[in-house]
Amino acid sequence: MGSEAERCNIRPLSLRQACAEVKAPMIGAYLHIPFCAYKCHYCDFATSTRTEEFGKRYCQILEREIKDRLSEAADKPHISTVFYGGGTPGLLDIEYLNQIHGTLLKNIVLLTDYEISLETNPETVTREKAKIWREIGINRLSIGIQSFNDSELTALGRGHSSTDAIKAIEIASDVGFDNINCDLMYGLPGQNLTSWQNSINSFIKLANKYPQIKHVSAYGLELSPAAPLIKMIPLGSNAYPSEEVFEEQLKYLVTALEQAGFMQYEISNFAKSGYECRHNLNYWKQGEYHAFGVSAHRYIKPYRSSNWRSLGRYLDDCLTNETCELIDQDLARTEAVMLGLRMNDGLNLKLFKQSYGEDLLDTHKEIIEKLIAHNLLAHTADRLKLTILGQPVANTIIGEFLQ
Ligand code: SF4
């Protein structure tokens, strides 16, 4: 029996053949793979643990959706970033992933300076799989580590340990990934400031050993009413860190990561210089993107639309949108405020005025002065930025600009 690469008929050259040197606006492509090995207690994403039952059919339908949606355009779209998100795309049988990726490449023009990310969890990273991910052109691996404390991982319902996370980084680095992202989480039940500091310190030790780690996404736990964790540990329980501890956790995160060379460029994202996630930057800068798969959202101006969130509906009818919304000037303005204030570069007031005809320093003078006086907001070089004190209350501050 041949290797997995032979069995799947992997041809690395096909990627190079699909690439082109074209100066075009940045457009991304998102592909949603909804399968997970288990359901984490905090998650309300559109995921399914029935990979065996639905995996093959899902991938066939996804390929059909890619072909049909992209064939509607007069020309193949020029794509510079591709993101396999989920779910756990790393769980997918390599044969299916290769087929989907091949179909995508046939229907787009991939720009030479591409970024192709794949999300996975530590326990799915095997040497053989990781090698094939590299061979088919994935050049950024995003690993859901969440915590280096095993009891916190158990409380979240994660199916891996901190040892699995370290092993996954070692394998990914060994097979040639030189742009690895680690996901971390704070504000967890049972987590205090010291255990969070220990997790961050373990991460920094690992990042020093493996300079291939270039990026960190660190999210404060936010639970939707549908998250199973709420039933297990109700909101308001003492098990969750207090607001003060949550703020201290964020401060420690920002300071420790910056000292380790990971600069914050968005509230929840940190990168070594030049390794900011280009796919996400495109979202935050209100750029266009195609999207395929159950519950996937696309933005091809002027419409944002989404596929069916129900796996069954999507499998029956992958080309009908569940939602479709015209992004008019009002909505674009709202999003520019929300996204701009989350970025460390801040909201560009001059550009905002050019785009929406509104001088925020005029229309929101009072609130801006109040926020600056409380050291929650800073106004420098024609930009408005959240301070470190403003970041934990970002949603409240943003809300002030939406009125
Ligand atoms: S692995 Fe990720 S997508 Fe899957 S259930 Fe857990 S949090 Fe949700």
Side-chain angles (χ1 to χ4, degrees):
M1 206 161 102
S3 72
E4 194 153 11
E6 284 161 349
R7 178 168 70 79
C8 301
N9 196 20
I10 307 288
R11 292 191 198 87
L13 273 182
S14 62
L15 180 67
R16 265 174 253 153
Q17 286 155 359
C19 294
E21 300 257 10
V22 179
K23 289 263 175 263
M26 151 109 209
I27 298 186
Y30 175 81
L31 293 93
H32 191 78
I33 308 295
F35 302 108
C36 290
Y38 44 82
K39 185 79 182 171
C40 302
H41 302 332
Y42 58 93
C43 181
D44 75 329
F45 293 164
T47 64
S48 164
T49 50
R50 296 160 79 181
T51 322
E52 286 289 313
E53 196 179 339
F54 291 115
K56 187 172 181 187
R57 183 155 163 242
Y58 182 81
C59 295
Q60 288 165 345
I61 300 281
L62 182 58
E63 280 185 66
R64 205 181 96 203
E65 188 198 355
I66 293 169
K67 282 187 223 158
D68 286 1
R69 287 200 188 267
L70 294 180
S71 67
E72 282 170 13
D75 294 311
K76 288 182 181 180
H78 292 81
I79 300 287
S80 44
T81 65
V82 176
F83 198 102
Y84 287 94
T88 312
L91 186 67
L92 204 59
D93 188 300
I94 206 74
E95 188 178 346
Y96 299 157
L97 180 68
N98 187 42
Q99 277 169 13
I100 294 164
H101 196 55
T103 300
L104 179 74
L105 293 183
K106 273 188 213 140
N107 289 279
I108 62 173
V109 177
L110 185 67
L111 300 189
T112 320
D113 184 21
Y114 58 83
E115 174 192 276
I116 305 179
S117 305
L118 179 118
E119 285 185 331
T120 195
N121 282 340
E123 73 280 10
T124 64
V125 183
T126 64
R127 195 163 291 274
E128 190 162 33
K129 256 190 172 179
K131 266 165 84 176
I132 297 174
W133 293 337
R134 279 297 295 134
E135 283 172 16
I136 67 174
I138 289 154
N139 58 10
R140 183 175 182 277
L141 196 63
S142 179
I143 306 178
I145 290 174
Q146 316 311 359
S147 169
F148 286 91
N149 179 312
D150 287 344
S151 51
E152 288 169 10
L153 291 170
T154 305
L156 293 177
R158 303 285 299 178
H160 59 86
S161 65
S162 54
T163 310
D164 294 331
I166 295 167
K167 186 86 191 139
I169 299 287
E170 183 193 316
I171 292 173
S173 306
D174 258 16
V175 303
F177 278 100
D178 61 1
N179 187 359
I180 300 172
N181 168 62
C182 298
D183 282 347
L184 298 173
M185 292 179 76
Y186 58 101
L188 307 180
Q191 188 185 54
N192 56 34
L193 183 57
T194 309
S195 64
W196 173 239
Q197 288 171 333
N198 289 340
S199 257
I200 295 294
N201 296 345
S202 300
F203 166 76
I204 291 172
K205 208 165 131 202
L206 197 63
N208 287 337
K209 183 168 177 195
Y210 295 103
Q212 294 88 345
I213 300 176
K214 299 290 198 313
H215 194 281
V216 184
S217 294
Y219 289 91
L221 180 70
E222 277 181 35
L223 293 172
S224 80
L229 190 60
I230 290 192
K231 284 209 182 83
M232 301 161 83
I233 309 176
L235 289 177
S237 148
N238 286 339
Y240 296 99
S242 65
E243 261 179 43
E244 292 73 30
V245 171
F246 188 85
E247 281 172 25
E248 288 303 317
Q249 288 181 326
L250 176 60
K251 269 194 231 161
Y252 187 80
L253 171 75
V254 175
T255 315
L257 286 187
E258 288 195 353
Q259 277 168 6
F262 293 89
M263 304 313 286
Q264 188 185 33
Y265 66 103
E266 195 265 353
I267 288 190
S268 308
N269 288 279
F270 304 77
K272 293 267 175 83
S273 175
Y275 287 90
E276 296 80 8
C277 176
R278 286 165 47 208
H279 187 82
N280 287 341
L281 277 174
N282 183 47
Y283 291 155
W284 300 328
K285 292 185 174 172
Q286 296 176 288
E288 293 182 292
Y289 47 91
H290 293 271
F292 310 96
V294 61
S295 83
H297 287 62
R298 67 190 59 76
Y299 180 35
I300 301 297
K301 288 178 183 172
Y303 293 103
R304 180 170 303 114
S305 59
S306 69
N307 288 351
W308 292 111
R309 189 177 154 90
S310 141
L311 181 58
R313 287 295 292 265
Y314 172 76
L315 290 174
D316 286 345
D317 188 6
C318 64
L319 295 174
T320 305
N321 297 326
E322 179 166 349
T323 64
C324 184
E325 183 178 29
L326 173 71
I327 306 298
D328 60 15
Q329 276 289 94
D330 272 359
L331 210 43
R333 175 208 174 272
T334 301
E335 292 184 355
V337 171
M338 285 166 50
L339 297 167
L341 282 177
R342 288 185 60 92
M343 304 288 294
N344 278 52
D345 276 352
L347 179 63
N348 185 326
L349 294 167
K350 203 167 151 191
L351 208 61
F352 189 86
K353 192 173 171 187
Q354 276 168 15
S355 306
Y356 306 106
E358 178 184 349
D359 184 350
L360 284 173
L361 294 177
D362 217 21
T363 55
H364 291 72
K365 187 170 181 290
E366 259 176 55
I367 186 68
I368 289 173
E369 283 173 359
K370 197 168 122 198
L371 291 169
I372 290 174
H374 284 88
N375 199 16
L376 297 169
L377 194 71
H379 175 209
T380 46
D382 226 7
R383 285 169 187 267
L384 284 182
K385 300 178 196 186
L386 296 179
T387 62
I388 185 73
L389 290 179
Q391 288 185 20
V393 285
N395 290 344
T396 312
I397 295 177
I398 288 167
E400 299 282 1
F401 288 93
L402 303 184
Q403 290 165 14

